[in-house]
Amino acid sequence: MWLLNKGEHGYGLLCIHGSCLGLKIGTLLKLKWNDFIEEHNEECKFYLEIHDDKKSKIDSYRLSNFLMRYTEWAYKNDFNDENRTIESLIYINCKTGKPLTTSSLNRELNKFYQEFRSEVYSTTFLDLKLRELKTNSFEIAWARDFVTKYNCTKKAFIIVSKYMGHRTVNDTINLLEIEPNDEIVITYDLFDPSVKEESEIEQIFSNKEKLKQYLFNQNIATTTLEFMKHRDKSKDE
């Protein structure tokens, strides 16, 4: 979203699409506007269809409201390329008008990340100690979200490992740096109304590592929200 607001629609959409869909970078960079946008009304489609020529099949991906909203917004507000059509590639360098390629993408993404990190620190004094942003970061982000959503169960890891094409599930575990967990059946939503048993709530609080991770995530989310509010307020002023 930060990249979109900077006018870097190609990089911004790559980050959003990559982390939401979990597609390989080679597949992502081939996507065109008509893969997402309906030509007759310029609205975002509900599904993305990827044609797999090797397996002679079509993989369909349901698009989230978040992804649809910003894809449609970027399409309607991307006026930097007069030659753009519905069949143009999505992810381009807005300054040069050239499609993004894997040859220099890691370096370019990390440059933008360092700029974002500096802006966050100047606004919130939060020093983001995260790894460099690379082309496989999107797939890892999607996979971490997926296993966390399903409480890091072993079955979730097996699904992700198969989808990512890893040789073993251990390869997936090592890449995501998250251990499978079949002990706690409740997710991190401590205020979930479906949690009725006190023993279940106690089980969450007794696991210090899980609780620490929950609080860390909440802090990041809150700080990011405050950063966005402060930025928008400053822009209005």
Side-chain angles (χ1 to χ4, degrees):
M1 293 169 64
W2 178 79
L3 285 165
L4 289 181
N5 286 318
K6 281 176 63 70
E8 297 288 354
H9 296 167
Y11 293 99
L13 286 181
L14 183 68
C15 292
I16 291 175
H17 291 170
S19 57
C20 288
L21 298 171
L23 297 172
K24 300 290 185 183
I25 190 65
T27 301
L28 276 173
L29 293 179
K30 294 177 183 177
L31 295 178
K32 301 179 179 180
W33 283 111
N34 58 7
D35 288 314
F36 290 94
I37 301 296
E38 297 281 7
E39 186 171 8
H40 67 280
N41 59 10
E42 295 190 343
E43 293 182 356
C44 192
K45 300 176 180 179
F46 290 97
Y47 290 89
L48 169 68
E49 294 185 341
I50 302 292
H51 295 261
D52 190 334
D53 296 330
K54 293 182 179 179
K55 298 180 180 179
S56 299
K57 69 171 186 175
I58 298 177
D59 293 321
S60 182
Y61 299 84
R62 176 68 172 91
L63 304 181
S64 67
N65 291 333
F66 169 78
L67 185 150
M68 292 171 62
R69 180 168 66 253
Y70 284 100
T71 301
E72 186 176 317
W73 179 88
Y75 180 76
K76 293 180 178 180
N77 290 277
D78 187 4
F79 305 115
N80 294 329
D81 187 0
E82 297 179 354
N83 299 318
R84 188 205 67 181
T85 68
I86 194 72
E87 296 183 355
S88 298
L89 292 169
I90 296 179
Y91 316 115
I92 64 169
N93 184 318
C94 293
K95 292 184 177 64
T96 64
K98 296 181 179 179
L100 302 184
T101 64
T102 55
S103 60
S104 59
L105 195 51
N106 281 340
R107 182 176 66 253
E108 292 163 356
L109 288 172
N110 193 51
K111 181 190 71 173
F112 282 124
Y113 166 66
Q114 295 303 337
E115 290 180 17
F116 174 70
R117 181 182 175 186
S118 297
E119 187 172 332
V120 170
Y121 183 78
S122 65
T123 307
T124 67
F125 298 106
L126 175 66
D127 186 12
L128 297 177
K129 297 184 181 298
L130 303 176
R131 297 176 182 174
E132 292 184 356
L133 190 61
K134 297 183 179 180
T135 51
N136 69 339
S137 299
F138 312 127
E139 193 176 7
I140 293 174
W142 170 84
R144 289 176 66 95
D145 281 348
F146 184 93
V147 297
T148 301
K149 178 180 178 181
Y150 293 101
N151 197 41
C152 300
T153 59
K154 293 176 181 177
K155 185 176 181 180
F157 273 88
I158 293 173
I159 292 173
V160 166
S161 182
K162 183 178 180 180
Y163 177 81
M164 297 179 76
H166 291 166
R167 186 176 58 86
T168 67
V169 176
N170 278 337
D171 291 338
T172 308
I173 295 172
N174 293 334
L175 179 65
L176 303 186
E177 297 184 345
I178 300 176
E179 288 293 330
N181 164 53
D182 281 330
E183 295 178 0
I184 298 180
V185 295
I186 307 301
T187 59
Y188 299 149
D189 187 357
L190 302 183
F191 304 100
D192 186 346
S194 65
V195 181
K196 298 179 180 179
E197 297 293 335
E198 289 187 10
S199 59
E200 292 178 343
I201 299 177
E202 290 175 358
Q203 190 180 35
I204 297 174
F205 280 98
S206 64
N207 191 317
K208 294 181 180 180
E209 287 301 316
K210 294 293 180 183
L211 185 59
K212 182 171 68 174
Q213 185 63 37
Y214 169 78
L215 295 174
F216 173 78
N217 289 337
Q218 288 295 98
N219 179 58
I220 290 294
T222 302
T223 305
T224 304
L225 180 61
E226 290 302 317
F227 162 70
M228 299 297 286
K229 286 181 179 178
H230 184 278
R231 185 207 61 193
D232 294 339
K233 182 179 179 181
S234 300
K235 187 184 300 183
D236 294 337
E237 292 174 351

